Amino acid sequence: MSASELYSKYTKVWIPDPEDVWKSAEITKDYKDGDEALHLKLEDEMPLEYPINLKAEQLPFLRNPDILVGENDLTALSYLHEPAVLHNLKVRFLESNAIYTYCGIVLVAINPYEQLPIYGEDVIHAYSGQNMGDMDPHIFAVAEEAYKQMAR
């Protein structure tokens, strides 16, 4: 797809922000090849013209569809880049209290800086014998998968 097809009206993008690192915005006017700026509306309804460096061909990162927000495996995201990963981890941690997220076979963990009741005997038994993707991401799922592979 061409840039003018991807960056059309109502498309959501990520733009750099000095305070929040990345901020979500929506395109309010179709982008056409040769335009020097994107017309955006930030989530707080502030209109903004975002300059484009045509020599570097640097357009903002596209945002994933809302249905993928909070996905437990980052490889399921349509767009896998820094703002998408950080946003997904933030949503899982703050809204779902999930400290673990898969990225394929890699387990990403966020330190909650507090004790959590997710390591007891009942949790060990729940993950015992399960396949890695059958339950929520957890260190016990990774351990169970490693044990199965070693036994094979």
Side-chain angles (χ1 to χ4, degrees):
M1 291 183 102
S2 70
S4 57
E5 292 172 316
L6 287 174
Y7 292 88
S8 59
K9 191 173 182 180
Y10 305 119
T11 299
K12 292 184 179 178
V13 296
W14 292 107
I15 59 171
D17 183 72
E19 265 183 51
D20 297 327
V21 183
W22 297 102
K23 221 172 216 174
S24 179
E26 185 176 282
I27 297 175
T28 59
K29 181 182 172 189
D30 287 346
Y31 169 78
K32 293 183 181 47
D33 292 331
D35 284 354
E36 294 185 10
L38 281 176
H39 297 272
L40 305 174
K41 178 178 72 173
L42 297 175
E43 284 187 336
D44 59 7
E45 302 297 320
M46 293 267 310
L48 169 75
E49 277 196 24
Y50 182 75
I52 300 169
N53 183 346
L54 295 175
K55 289 181 182 174
E57 297 179 10
Q58 185 64 30
L59 290 166
F61 291 111
L62 294 170
R63 186 168 166 171
N64 286 296
D66 289 339
I67 194 165
L68 296 177
V69 171
E71 188 65 39
N72 72 2
D73 189 341
L74 297 173
T75 60
L77 300 177
S78 300
Y79 306 110
L80 188 59
H81 43 60
E82 180 184 343
V85 169
L86 292 176
H87 180 68
N88 198 69
L89 292 174
K90 176 182 174 183
V91 166
R92 286 185 52 75
F93 182 71
L94 294 180
E95 294 177 15
S96 303
N97 295 322
I99 65 167
Y100 293 119
T101 304
Y102 291 128
C103 186
I105 61 169
V106 174
L107 184 68
V108 178
I110 296 176
N111 189 341
Y113 295 103
E114 63 182 74
Q115 292 291 328
L116 298 176
I118 60 172
Y119 302 109
E121 289 289 324
D122 54 333
V123 180
I124 292 172
H125 292 297
Y127 281 89
S128 182
Q130 300 293 323
N131 292 322
M132 198 159 138
D134 290 349
M135 297 180 69
D136 286 336
H138 198 285
I139 190 68
F140 293 161
V142 174
E144 181 65 23
E145 184 65 21
Y147 179 77
K148 282 185 193 175
Q149 294 293 331
M150 181 184 68
R152 248 187 242 135

